[in-house]
Protein backbone atom coordinates (compact mmCIF):
# COMPACT_ATOMS: atom_id res chain seq x y z
CA UNK A 1 0.00 0.00 0.00
CA UNK A 2 1.39 3.40 -0.97
CA UNK A 3 2.19 5.75 1.92
CA UNK A 4 -0.32 8.53 2.47
CA UNK A 5 1.70 11.76 2.65
CA UNK A 6 0.38 15.11 3.83
CA UNK A 7 2.17 17.92 1.98
CA UNK A 8 1.93 21.21 3.85
CA UNK A 9 2.59 24.03 1.42
CA UNK A 10 3.43 27.64 2.26
CA UNK A 11 0.01 29.03 3.17
CA UNK A 12 0.25 32.08 0.92
CA UNK A 13 1.05 31.03 -2.67
CA UNK A 14 -1.31 28.25 -3.77
CA UNK A 15 -0.66 24.84 -5.26
CA UNK A 16 -1.43 24.49 -8.18
CA UNK A 17 0.97 27.34 -8.91
CA UNK A 18 -1.52 29.70 -10.58
CA UNK A 19 0.21 32.68 -8.92
CA UNK A 20 3.74 31.48 -9.62
CA UNK A 21 6.41 30.37 -7.18
CA UNK A 22 9.32 27.97 -7.65
CA UNK A 23 8.45 25.75 -4.68
CA UNK A 24 4.84 25.63 -5.80
CA UNK A 25 5.92 24.62 -9.31
CA UNK A 26 7.97 21.79 -7.81
CA UNK A 27 5.02 20.61 -5.74
CA UNK A 28 2.77 20.55 -8.79
CA UNK A 29 5.37 18.65 -10.82
CA UNK A 30 5.66 16.13 -7.97
CA UNK A 31 1.90 15.57 -7.89
CA UNK A 32 1.60 15.19 -11.66
CA UNK A 33 4.55 12.81 -11.94
CA UNK A 34 3.07 10.75 -9.13
CA UNK A 35 -0.11 10.39 -11.18
CA UNK A 36 2.00 8.32 -13.61
CA UNK A 37 3.98 6.29 -11.06
CA UNK A 38 1.54 6.21 -8.08
CA UNK A 39 4.38 5.85 -5.59
CA UNK A 40 2.46 7.89 -3.02
CA UNK A 41 -0.99 8.98 -2.02
CA UNK A 42 -0.61 12.73 -1.59
CA UNK A 43 -2.91 15.10 0.25
CA UNK A 44 -1.82 18.65 -0.53
CA UNK A 45 -2.78 21.40 1.89
CA UNK A 46 -2.79 24.79 0.19
CA UNK A 47 -4.18 28.27 0.45
CA UNK A 48 -6.97 28.95 -2.02
CA UNK A 49 -6.85 31.34 -4.96
CA UNK A 50 -9.12 31.83 -7.97
CA UNK A 51 -8.40 29.33 -10.72
CA UNK A 52 -6.85 26.53 -8.66
CA UNK A 53 -9.74 24.11 -9.19
CA UNK A 54 -9.53 24.50 -12.98
CA UNK A 55 -5.91 23.29 -13.02
CA UNK A 56 -6.43 20.11 -11.01
CA UNK A 57 -6.70 16.90 -13.02
CA UNK A 58 -6.47 14.45 -10.16
CA UNK A 59 -5.30 14.20 -6.57
CA UNK A 60 -6.48 15.22 -3.12
CA UNK A 61 -6.14 18.97 -2.54
CA UNK A 62 -7.39 20.59 0.66
CA UNK A 63 -7.81 24.29 -0.05
CA UNK A 64 -8.07 26.69 2.86
CA UNK A 65 -9.84 29.96 2.12
CA UNK A 66 -8.83 33.11 3.95
CA UNK A 67 -11.70 35.08 5.53
CA UNK A 68 -12.04 38.74 4.57
CA UNK A 69 -11.33 39.83 8.14
CA UNK A 70 -7.97 38.02 8.05
CA UNK A 71 -7.11 39.59 4.69
CA UNK A 72 -7.92 43.03 6.11
CA UNK A 73 -5.66 42.38 9.09
CA UNK A 74 -2.83 41.47 6.72
CA UNK A 75 -3.28 44.67 4.71
CA UNK A 76 -3.01 46.67 7.94
CA UNK A 77 0.11 44.77 9.05
CA UNK A 78 1.77 45.29 5.66
CA UNK A 79 0.86 48.99 5.60
CA UNK A 80 2.35 49.50 9.08
CA UNK A 81 5.53 47.60 8.15
CA UNK A 82 5.99 49.69 5.02
CA UNK A 83 4.98 53.19 6.08
CA UNK A 84 5.44 53.29 9.87
CA UNK A 85 8.14 50.74 10.70
CA UNK A 86 9.95 51.09 7.33
CA UNK A 87 10.87 47.41 7.28
CA UNK A 88 13.26 46.32 4.52
CA UNK A 89 11.99 42.76 4.04
CA UNK A 90 8.43 43.78 3.37
CA UNK A 91 7.20 40.43 2.08
CA UNK A 92 7.79 38.93 5.52
CA UNK A 93 4.85 41.04 6.68
CA UNK A 94 2.50 40.46 3.75
CA UNK A 95 0.69 37.29 4.88
CA UNK A 96 1.18 37.10 8.65
CA UNK A 97 -2.49 36.74 9.64
CA UNK A 98 -3.31 34.51 6.67
CA UNK A 99 -0.57 32.05 7.53
CA UNK A 100 -1.59 31.88 11.18
CA UNK A 101 -5.14 31.11 10.07
CA UNK A 102 -3.83 28.50 7.63
CA UNK A 103 -1.60 26.84 10.27
CA UNK A 104 -4.55 26.60 12.63
CA UNK A 105 -6.69 24.87 10.01
CA UNK A 106 -3.97 22.47 8.86
CA UNK A 107 -3.05 21.51 12.42
CA UNK A 108 -6.68 20.62 13.10
CA UNK A 109 -6.87 18.45 9.97
CA UNK A 110 -3.68 16.59 10.95
CA UNK A 111 -5.14 15.81 14.37
CA UNK A 112 -8.34 14.09 13.21
CA UNK A 113 -7.76 10.38 13.74
CA UNK A 114 -9.89 7.94 11.75
CA UNK A 115 -12.56 5.63 13.19
CA UNK A 116 -9.95 3.07 14.23
CA UNK A 117 -7.90 5.69 16.08
CA UNK A 118 -5.12 5.84 13.48
CA UNK A 119 -3.56 9.05 12.26
CA UNK A 120 -4.98 10.20 8.91
CA UNK A 121 -1.51 10.30 7.29
CA UNK A 122 1.50 8.02 7.27
CA UNK A 123 3.98 10.83 6.72
CA UNK A 124 4.02 14.61 6.81
CA UNK A 125 6.18 16.74 4.52
CA UNK A 126 6.60 20.39 5.49
CA UNK A 127 7.50 22.73 2.67
CA UNK A 128 10.30 25.14 3.49
CA UNK A 129 8.81 27.59 6.01
CA UNK A 130 9.77 27.14 9.66
CA UNK A 131 6.46 28.67 10.77
CA UNK A 132 4.67 25.59 9.43
CA UNK A 133 6.15 23.55 12.28
CA UNK A 134 3.59 25.30 14.46
CA UNK A 135 1.21 22.66 13.09
CA UNK A 136 3.23 20.13 15.08
CA UNK A 137 2.92 22.15 18.29
CA UNK A 138 -0.88 21.98 18.24
CA UNK A 139 -3.16 19.06 19.16
CA UNK A 140 -0.15 16.89 20.13
CA UNK A 141 0.69 16.47 16.45
CA UNK A 142 4.43 16.24 17.16
CA UNK A 143 3.74 13.14 19.26
CA UNK A 144 1.20 11.80 16.77
CA UNK A 145 3.62 11.98 13.83
CA UNK A 146 6.89 11.32 15.68
CA UNK A 147 9.45 9.84 13.32
CA UNK A 148 7.37 10.56 10.22
CA UNK A 149 7.91 14.30 9.63
CA UNK A 150 10.11 15.41 6.72
CA UNK A 151 11.35 18.94 6.10
CA UNK A 152 11.66 19.88 2.42
CA UNK A 153 14.09 22.76 2.79
CA UNK A 154 14.59 25.29 -0.01
CA UNK A 155 15.94 28.32 1.83
CA UNK A 156 18.13 29.15 4.78
CA UNK A 157 16.36 29.22 8.14
CA UNK A 158 17.12 32.46 9.95
CA UNK A 159 14.24 32.36 12.45
CA UNK A 160 12.70 29.23 13.93
CA UNK A 161 9.59 31.06 15.28
CA UNK A 162 9.77 29.00 18.45
CA UNK A 163 9.88 25.71 16.53
CA UNK A 164 13.55 24.75 16.68
CA UNK A 165 12.89 21.64 18.79
CA UNK A 166 10.28 20.36 16.33
CA UNK A 167 12.64 21.08 13.43
CA UNK A 168 15.50 19.23 15.13
CA UNK A 169 13.30 16.14 15.61
CA UNK A 170 12.41 15.57 11.94
CA UNK A 171 13.01 12.18 10.37
CA UNK A 172 14.96 13.78 7.51
CA UNK A 173 15.76 17.18 6.14
CA UNK A 174 15.28 16.96 2.38
CA UNK A 175 17.46 19.87 1.31
CA UNK A 176 17.65 21.08 -2.29
CA UNK A 177 21.45 21.13 -1.96
CA UNK A 178 24.15 20.02 0.45
CA UNK A 179 24.78 23.68 1.04
CA UNK A 180 21.29 24.37 2.40
CA UNK A 181 21.26 21.26 4.63
CA UNK A 182 24.47 22.38 6.29
CA UNK A 183 23.06 25.86 6.95
CA UNK A 184 20.22 24.32 8.95
CA UNK A 185 22.60 22.09 10.89
CA UNK A 186 24.66 25.16 11.78
CA UNK A 187 21.55 27.18 12.72
CA UNK A 188 20.32 24.50 15.13
CA UNK A 189 23.75 24.20 16.79
CA UNK A 190 23.96 27.96 17.19
CA UNK A 191 20.53 28.06 18.83
CA UNK A 192 20.86 25.46 21.54
CA UNK A 193 20.08 22.22 19.71
CA UNK A 194 22.56 19.41 19.09
CA UNK A 195 22.29 19.78 15.32
CA UNK A 196 21.29 17.24 12.71
CA UNK A 197 22.41 13.62 12.91
CA UNK A 198 23.99 12.20 9.74
CA UNK A 199 20.91 10.08 9.07
CA UNK A 200 18.73 13.21 9.17
CA UNK A 201 20.64 14.84 6.32
CA UNK A 202 19.52 14.19 2.76
CA UNK A 203 19.56 16.01 -0.57
CA UNK A 204 16.50 16.02 -2.79
CA UNK A 205 17.77 17.68 -5.96
CA UNK A 206 15.45 20.04 -7.77
CA UNK A 207 14.18 19.18 -11.21
CA UNK A 208 11.75 20.32 -13.88
CA UNK A 209 9.44 18.76 -16.40
CA UNK A 210 12.03 18.62 -19.16
CA UNK A 211 9.41 17.73 -21.78
CA UNK A 212 8.24 21.33 -21.61
CA UNK A 213 11.67 22.91 -22.17
CA UNK A 214 13.91 23.07 -25.22
CA UNK A 215 11.30 22.76 -27.95
CA UNK A 216 8.75 25.60 -27.69
CA UNK A 217 8.53 28.14 -30.45
CA UNK A 218 10.49 31.28 -29.63
CA UNK A 219 8.48 34.51 -29.44
CA UNK A 220 11.02 37.19 -30.28
CA UNK A 221 8.60 39.28 -32.36
CA UNK A 222 6.30 39.63 -29.35
CA UNK A 223 9.02 41.64 -27.61
CA UNK A 224 10.33 43.51 -30.66
CA UNK A 225 13.47 41.39 -30.93
CA UNK A 226 15.02 40.54 -34.29
CA UNK A 227 16.38 37.18 -35.38
CA UNK A 228 19.91 38.59 -35.60
CA UNK A 229 19.86 40.07 -32.07
CA UNK A 230 21.92 38.43 -29.33
CA UNK A 231 19.45 37.89 -26.50
CA UNK A 232 20.49 37.64 -22.86
CA UNK A 233 17.77 36.40 -20.50
CA UNK A 234 17.38 37.00 -16.77
CA UNK A 235 14.51 35.14 -15.08
CA UNK A 236 13.56 35.39 -11.44
CA UNK A 237 12.10 37.65 -8.80
CA UNK A 238 13.19 41.25 -9.06
CA UNK A 239 14.82 41.49 -5.65
CA UNK A 240 18.35 42.73 -4.90
CA UNK A 241 19.80 39.33 -4.03
CA UNK A 242 19.12 37.92 -7.50
CA UNK A 243 21.69 40.28 -9.05
CA UNK A 244 19.44 42.05 -11.57
CA UNK A 245 20.92 45.47 -10.76
CA UNK A 246 24.47 44.23 -11.33
CA UNK A 247 23.33 42.66 -14.58
CA UNK A 248 21.82 45.91 -15.87
CA UNK A 249 24.98 47.80 -14.94
CA UNK A 250 27.05 45.21 -16.82
CA UNK A 251 24.73 45.42 -19.82
CA UNK A 252 25.49 49.15 -20.18
CA UNK A 253 29.07 48.07 -20.90
CA UNK A 254 28.05 45.22 -23.21
CA UNK A 255 26.06 47.34 -25.68
CA UNK A 256 29.17 49.38 -26.52
CA UNK A 257 30.82 46.22 -27.91
CA UNK A 258 27.73 44.25 -28.98
CA UNK A 259 25.36 46.71 -30.74
CA UNK A 260 22.76 44.01 -31.45
CA UNK A 261 22.54 42.86 -27.80
CA UNK A 262 19.15 42.73 -26.09
CA UNK A 263 18.41 41.95 -22.45
CA UNK A 264 15.11 40.38 -21.45
CA UNK A 265 14.23 40.64 -17.75
CA UNK A 266 11.49 38.14 -16.94
CA UNK A 267 9.90 38.38 -13.52
CA UNK A 268 8.38 40.68 -10.94
CA UNK A 269 8.98 41.67 -7.33
CA UNK A 270 6.48 39.21 -5.85
CA UNK A 271 5.18 36.70 -8.35
CA UNK A 272 1.75 37.45 -9.86
CA UNK A 273 0.80 40.35 -7.61
CA UNK A 274 0.31 44.06 -8.04
CA UNK A 275 3.10 44.85 -5.60
CA UNK A 276 5.86 46.95 -7.13
CA UNK A 277 8.98 47.64 -5.09
CA UNK A 278 11.33 50.64 -5.05
CA UNK A 279 14.03 48.25 -6.29
CA UNK A 280 11.95 47.35 -9.33
CA UNK A 281 11.54 51.05 -10.10
CA UNK A 282 15.30 51.47 -9.77
CA UNK A 283 15.80 48.81 -12.45
CA UNK A 284 13.42 50.62 -14.78
CA UNK A 285 15.35 53.83 -14.19
CA UNK A 286 18.61 52.07 -15.12
CA UNK A 287 16.97 50.75 -18.27
CA UNK A 288 15.97 54.26 -19.33
CA UNK A 289 19.57 55.45 -19.67
CA UNK A 290 20.31 56.63 -23.24
CA UNK A 291 22.90 53.93 -24.05
CA UNK A 292 20.51 51.05 -23.27
CA UNK A 293 17.13 52.60 -23.96
CA UNK A 294 15.07 50.26 -26.13
CA UNK A 295 17.48 47.37 -25.59
CA UNK A 296 16.08 46.10 -22.27
CA UNK A 297 12.69 44.38 -22.17
CA UNK A 298 10.79 43.91 -18.90
CA UNK A 299 8.17 41.19 -19.31
CA UNK A 300 6.66 41.50 -15.83
CA UNK A 301 5.29 38.33 -14.26
CA UNK A 302 5.29 35.43 -16.72
CA UNK A 303 2.98 32.46 -16.24
CA UNK A 304 5.07 29.34 -15.67
CA UNK A 305 3.48 27.69 -18.71
CA UNK A 306 4.92 30.45 -20.88
CA UNK A 307 8.48 30.27 -19.56
CA UNK A 308 9.78 27.64 -22.02
CA UNK A 309 9.16 30.00 -24.95
CA UNK A 310 11.17 32.73 -23.21
CA UNK A 311 14.13 30.40 -22.70
CA UNK A 312 13.87 29.27 -26.32
CA UNK A 313 14.32 32.80 -27.67
CA UNK A 314 17.43 33.42 -25.55
CA UNK A 315 21.01 32.95 -26.72
CA UNK A 316 22.48 33.11 -23.22
CA UNK A 317 20.92 33.00 -19.74
CA UNK A 318 22.44 35.25 -17.08
CA UNK A 319 21.58 34.55 -13.43
CA UNK A 320 24.11 36.46 -11.28
CA UNK A 321 22.86 35.72 -7.76
CA UNK A 322 24.71 37.82 -5.20
CA UNK A 323 23.45 35.81 -2.22
CA UNK A 324 23.92 32.14 -1.38
CA UNK A 325 21.16 30.85 -3.64
CA UNK A 326 20.30 27.31 -2.48
CA UNK A 327 19.29 25.83 -5.87
CA UNK A 328 17.39 28.23 -8.13
CA UNK A 329 15.00 26.64 -10.59
CA UNK A 330 15.99 29.27 -13.15
CA UNK A 331 19.45 27.68 -13.31
CA UNK A 332 17.95 24.24 -13.96
CA UNK A 333 15.46 25.61 -16.50
CA UNK A 334 18.29 27.35 -18.36
CA UNK A 335 20.33 24.16 -18.51
CA UNK A 336 17.54 21.82 -19.61
CA UNK A 337 16.62 24.40 -22.27
CA UNK A 338 20.11 23.88 -23.66
CA UNK A 339 21.27 27.41 -23.00
CA UNK A 340 24.77 28.61 -22.10
CA UNK A 341 24.68 30.05 -18.60
CA UNK A 342 26.50 32.86 -16.82
CA UNK A 343 26.04 32.63 -13.07
CA UNK A 344 27.89 33.02 -9.76
CA UNK A 345 29.54 30.75 -7.22
CA UNK A 346 26.64 31.07 -4.82
CA UNK A 347 25.21 28.60 -2.32
CA UNK A 348 24.14 25.41 -4.07
CA UNK A 349 24.47 26.65 -7.66
CA UNK A 350 27.81 24.85 -8.23
CA UNK A 351 26.07 21.60 -7.22
CA UNK A 352 23.91 21.95 -10.35
CA UNK A 353 26.01 23.87 -12.90
CA UNK A 354 29.61 23.17 -13.88
CA UNK A 355 32.35 24.78 -15.97
CA UNK A 356 31.32 22.86 -19.10
CA UNK A 357 27.87 24.41 -19.32
CA UNK A 358 28.35 27.66 -17.41
CA UNK A 359 30.70 30.54 -16.77
CA UNK A 360 30.70 30.68 -12.98
CA UNK A 361 31.85 34.03 -11.60
CA UNK A 362 33.05 34.94 -8.14
CA UNK A 363 30.94 37.36 -6.13
CA UNK A 364 33.42 40.15 -5.57
CA UNK A 365 33.76 43.86 -6.23
CA UNK A 366 34.58 43.13 -9.86
CA UNK A 367 31.40 41.18 -10.54
CA UNK A 368 29.86 43.82 -12.83
CA UNK A 369 33.00 44.01 -15.00
CA UNK A 370 33.34 40.24 -15.13
CA UNK A 371 29.68 39.86 -16.05
CA UNK A 372 30.17 42.27 -18.93
CA UNK A 373 33.30 40.43 -20.09
CA UNK A 374 31.55 37.05 -20.01
CA UNK A 375 28.53 38.39 -21.89
CA UNK A 376 30.71 39.97 -24.59
CA UNK A 377 32.75 36.76 -24.89
CA UNK A 378 29.71 34.55 -25.46
CA UNK A 379 28.03 37.07 -27.74
CA UNK A 380 31.03 36.94 -30.07
CA UNK A 381 31.75 33.21 -29.88
CA UNK A 382 28.92 31.11 -31.30
CA UNK A 383 31.13 28.00 -31.30
CA UNK A 384 31.61 28.24 -27.54
CA UNK A 385 27.88 28.79 -27.09
CA UNK A 386 27.21 25.62 -29.07
CA UNK A 387 29.62 23.54 -26.98
CA UNK A 388 28.12 24.84 -23.73
CA UNK A 389 24.64 24.19 -25.08
CA UNK A 390 25.45 20.54 -25.78
CA UNK A 391 26.80 20.14 -22.27
CA UNK A 392 23.66 21.71 -20.81
CA UNK A 393 21.39 19.44 -22.83
CA UNK A 394 23.26 16.34 -21.66
CA UNK A 395 22.15 17.10 -18.09
CA UNK A 396 18.44 16.76 -18.85
CA UNK A 397 18.05 13.12 -17.65
CA UNK A 398 19.35 13.93 -14.17
CA UNK A 399 17.05 16.93 -13.81
CA UNK A 400 13.71 15.60 -15.12
CA UNK A 401 10.45 14.97 -13.27
CA UNK A 402 10.84 11.19 -13.23
CA UNK A 403 14.23 11.47 -11.53
CA UNK A 404 12.66 13.95 -9.11
CA UNK A 405 9.90 11.58 -7.90
CA UNK A 406 12.28 8.60 -7.87
CA UNK A 407 14.53 10.46 -5.47
CA UNK A 408 11.61 11.04 -3.14
CA UNK A 409 10.66 7.35 -3.24
CA UNK A 410 14.13 6.44 -2.02
CA UNK A 411 14.27 9.18 0.62
CA UNK A 412 10.89 8.34 2.16
CA UNK A 413 11.38 4.56 2.07
Amino acid sequence: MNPHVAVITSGYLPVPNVLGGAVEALDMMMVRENEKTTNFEFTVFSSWAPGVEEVIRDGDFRFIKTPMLVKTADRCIYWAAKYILHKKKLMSYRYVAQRLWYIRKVAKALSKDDASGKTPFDKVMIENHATLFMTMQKHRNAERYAGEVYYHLHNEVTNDFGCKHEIAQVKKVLGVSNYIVETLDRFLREHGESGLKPEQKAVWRNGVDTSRFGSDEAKRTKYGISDDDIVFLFSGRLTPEKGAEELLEAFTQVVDQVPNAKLVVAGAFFFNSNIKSPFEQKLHDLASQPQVEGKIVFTGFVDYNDMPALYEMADVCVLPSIWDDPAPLAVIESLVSGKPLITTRSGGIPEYANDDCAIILERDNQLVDHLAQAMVELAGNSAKRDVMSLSSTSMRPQMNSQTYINQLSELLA
Side-chain angles (χ1 to χ4, degrees):
M1 187 174 178
N2 295 328
H4 191 179
V5 182
V7 182
I8 306 177
T9 67
S10 69
Y12 57 94
L13 288 178
V15 176
N17 52 314
V18 295
L19 299 182
V23 178
E24 290 69 26
L26 284 166
D27 284 335
M28 205 57 206
M29 181 181 72
M30 174 187 72
V31 170
R32 284 182 169 156
E33 188 63 29
N34 189 65
E35 291 171 7
K36 306 173 191 175
T37 60
T38 59
N39 291 348
F40 303 98
E41 180 184 350
F42 287 125
T43 293
V44 180
F45 289 93
S46 168
S47 59
W48 180 88
V52 290
E53 291 92 349
E54 286 78 5
V55 179
I56 296 170
R57 294 198 301 255
D58 199 0
D60 180 15
F61 289 79
R62 309 278 181 90
F63 294 114
I64 296 172
K65 292 190 175 183
T66 307
M68 187 56 65
L69 183 61
V70 174
K71 291 182 178 180
T72 301
D74 267 331
R75 284 195 287 269
C76 293
I77 293 169
Y78 181 79
W79 184 90
K82 183 175 183 178
Y83 296 107
I84 297 177
L85 301 176
H86 303 291
K87 294 291 186 179
K88 291 183 178 180
K89 295 185 177 181
L90 279 175
M91 292 321 304
S92 299
Y93 300 89
R94 181 64 184 87
Y95 295 102
V96 174
Q98 176 175 319
R99 295 185 72 195
L100 290 173
W101 173 266
Y102 173 82
I103 286 166
R104 176 172 170 251
K105 290 292 187 179
V106 173
K108 185 68 175 176
L110 293 176
S111 71
K112 292 182 178 178
D113 295 342
D114 62 21
S116 62
K118 293 181 179 179
T119 58
F121 306 103
D122 300 312
K123 301 175 187 295
V124 176
M125 185 164 69
I126 290 176
E127 283 288 2
N128 200 34
H129 299 277
T131 51
L132 299 176
F133 278 92
M134 293 179 185
T135 59
M136 293 294 110
Q137 294 178 330
K138 301 176 185 295
H139 310 294
R140 299 174 62 190
N141 282 336
E143 179 182 336
R144 181 176 279 104
Y145 293 100
E148 298 298 344
V149 179
Y150 297 79
Y151 190 12
H152 191 192
L153 186 63
H154 302 260
N155 297 107
E156 185 173 352
V157 173
T158 57
N159 189 333
D160 59 70
F161 299 94
C163 299
K164 64 176 179 289
H165 179 71
E166 288 75 19
I167 295 171
Q169 297 304 309
V170 297
K171 178 70 176 282
K172 282 182 184 176
V173 175
L174 311 176
V176 295
S177 59
N178 282 300
Y179 163 79
I180 204 64
V181 174
E182 293 306 321
T183 65
L184 180 61
D185 183 37
R186 184 169 60 249
F187 175 87
L188 291 171
R189 293 177 188 278
E190 291 173 351
H191 290 80
E193 295 290 334
S194 58
L196 298 172
K197 301 180 180 68
E199 61 269 23
Q200 289 179 289
K201 298 180 180 181
V203 175
W204 183 13
R205 286 173 60 86
N206 281 346
V208 297
D209 182 356
T210 54
S211 67
R212 299 181 57 250
F213 291 87
S215 59
D216 270 20
E217 181 183 352
K219 298 181 179 179
R220 288 191 169 198
T221 55
K222 177 180 178 180
Y223 298 104
I225 297 172
S226 304
D227 288 341
D228 60 352
D229 285 334
I230 297 292
V231 178
F232 297 96
L233 173 67
F234 169 92
S235 58
R237 283 183 295 113
L238 298 187
T239 52
E241 66 270 15
K242 291 292 185 178
E245 182 178 357
E246 286 75 11
L247 174 56
L248 264 67
E249 290 175 356
F251 189 69
T252 61
Q253 300 178 33
V254 172
V255 293
D256 289 336
Q257 301 175 65
V258 187
N260 63 331
K262 293 287 179 66
L263 173 61
V264 176
V265 179
F269 170 54
F270 191 73
F271 309 106
N272 189 13
S273 72
N274 58 1
I275 301 170
K276 189 170 184 177
S277 70
F279 179 75
E280 196 169 352
Q281 184 58 54
K282 184 177 183 180
L283 296 181
H284 282 271
D285 291 342
L286 282 170
S288 66
Q289 295 180 87
Q291 65 267 44
V292 294
E293 192 170 7
K295 292 180 175 290
I296 300 177
V297 177
F298 290 90
T299 68
F301 172 80
V302 177
D303 187 278
Y304 192 67
N305 291 326
D306 297 326
M307 283 304 300
L310 275 183
Y311 285 109
E312 188 62 22
M313 76 179 192
D315 294 293
V316 178
C317 293
V318 191
L319 305 167
S321 290
I322 59 172
W323 69 305
D324 281 316
D325 220 329
L329 277 190
V331 165
I332 299 172
E333 291 163 356
S334 301
L335 296 176
V336 301
S337 298
K339 301 300 174 180
L341 175 65
I342 300 171
T343 187
T344 52
R345 199 174 307 282
S346 306
I349 290 178
E351 297 180 39
Y352 288 81
N354 58 46
D355 293 332
D356 294 329
C357 60
I359 296 176
I360 304 176
L361 304 175
E362 301 297 333
R363 294 175 298 164
D364 54 28
N365 56 11
Q366 294 181 296
L367 176 59
V368 170
D369 290 339
H370 290 163
L371 271 172
Q373 291 166 14
M375 292 166 75
V376 169
E377 177 188 358
L378 290 184
N381 192 337
S382 61
K384 182 168 184 176
R385 295 203 305 269
D386 290 343
V387 170
M388 292 174 70
S389 179
L390 284 172
S391 179
S392 295
T393 304
S394 70
M395 302 172 74
R396 287 169 65 93
Q398 58 189 280
M399 295 180 173
N400 64 24
S401 54
Q402 183 179 353
T403 300
Y404 188 69
I405 198 74
N406 288 345
Q407 289 180 79
L408 186 62
S409 296
E410 294 175 6
L411 292 168
L412 266 59

